[in-house]
Amino acid sequence: MAGSQFSERPVALFDRVPERLVLMGFRGWMAGYCSGDLRHWEEVWNLHAGSLGVPAARALVERLATFVSMVRDHAQCPVRCFPGACPQICRDECFVLAMLSASQNADVDCLAYAMRQLIDPDGHEAAIHPVVAYAEAMAEQNLKLMRVPRTVVQDIAERPRRSCLH
């Protein structure tokens, strides 16, 4: 079908710097917490510093660390992530990306919905500041995330959970 919207190659999330920094940063920071191996955090730092330079990376990684800590502390269940180099994203990673995108795009409905999927209701008040702070820090570095519509988040949330992702 020449000229069809479906004939174009879709944009892969990891092809875009903002999404790559969020997803690889989140995975790496979570892996550091899970394993206790500082190399994961060093890899996250190197990715950010190489993409943005040291001063910008410092501010962004600080917000990332606070955001990941909040997710770990307030998640409804243990957070799952794919390994760092995996080209797909899992359910929890979708909710993370949706929360940050919704914050950047002033989509309060999507932000609230994505938070309900990942964050325990008692943690919503504590969660909002790290979400907004990280999303704003990204925007300050011209790292604008693609908009994630609530319908996409809802579709993912309504799919049956898998017992094992990898």
Side-chain angles (χ1 to χ4, degrees), residues 4-60:
S4 166
Q5 66 178 351
F6 300 108
S7 65
E8 299 290 325
R9 178 185 173 268
V11 174
L13 288 177
F14 291 97
D15 288 347
R16 298 194 71 241
V17 173
E19 284 77 10
R20 183 172 55 248
L21 291 176
V22 166
L23 293 168
M24 298 299 287
F26 187 79
R27 287 176 179 179
W29 218 259
M30 287 295 294
Y33 276 127
C34 292
S35 69
D37 187 345
L38 297 178
R39 285 181 291 178
H40 294 290
W41 293 337
E42 289 173 7
E43 290 172 5
V44 171
W45 169 255
N46 290 335
L47 173 66
H48 282 74
S51 297
L52 305 171
V54 171
R58 186 173 291 119
L60 200 57

Side-chain angles (χ1 to χ4, degrees), residues 8-153:
E8 299 290 325
R9 178 185 173 268
V11 174
L13 288 177
F14 291 97
D15 288 347
R16 298 194 71 241
V17 173
E19 284 77 10
R20 183 172 55 248
L21 291 176
V22 166
L23 293 168
M24 298 299 287
F26 187 79
R27 287 176 179 179
W29 218 259
M30 287 295 294
Y33 276 127
C34 292
S35 69
D37 187 345
L38 297 178
R39 285 181 291 178
H40 294 290
W41 293 337
E42 289 173 7
E43 290 172 5
V44 171
W45 169 255
N46 290 335
L47 173 66
H48 282 74
S51 297
L52 305 171
V54 171
R58 186 173 291 119
L60 200 57
V61 170
E62 179 181 299
R63 298 281 169 58
L64 166 70
T66 302
F67 173 76
V68 173
S69 179
M70 173 280 299
V71 171
R72 286 183 70 239
D73 291 346
H74 298 289
Q76 294 180 23
C77 58
V79 178
R80 297 181 181 190
C81 297
F82 279 131
C86 181
Q88 277 95 30
I89 64 173
C90 72
R91 176 186 182 94
D92 290 347
E93 293 167 338
C94 290
F95 299 141
V96 162
L97 194 58
M99 287 189 303
L100 295 166
S101 170
S103 180
Q104 279 191 344
N105 290 287
D107 188 345
V108 176
D109 183 48
C110 184
L111 174 58
Y113 189 82
M115 283 183 66
R116 284 194 305 269
Q117 305 313 307
L118 188 61
I119 306 298
D120 185 272
D122 291 338
H124 284 197
E125 188 175 329
I128 197 66
H129 178 71
V131 170
V132 171
Y134 183 33
E136 286 177 351
M138 292 189 66
E140 289 168 5
Q141 297 302 320
N142 295 317
L143 297 169
K144 183 76 168 164
L145 296 164
M146 289 187 293
R147 186 175 175 278
V148 179
R150 180 196 159 140
T151 55
V152 171
V153 180

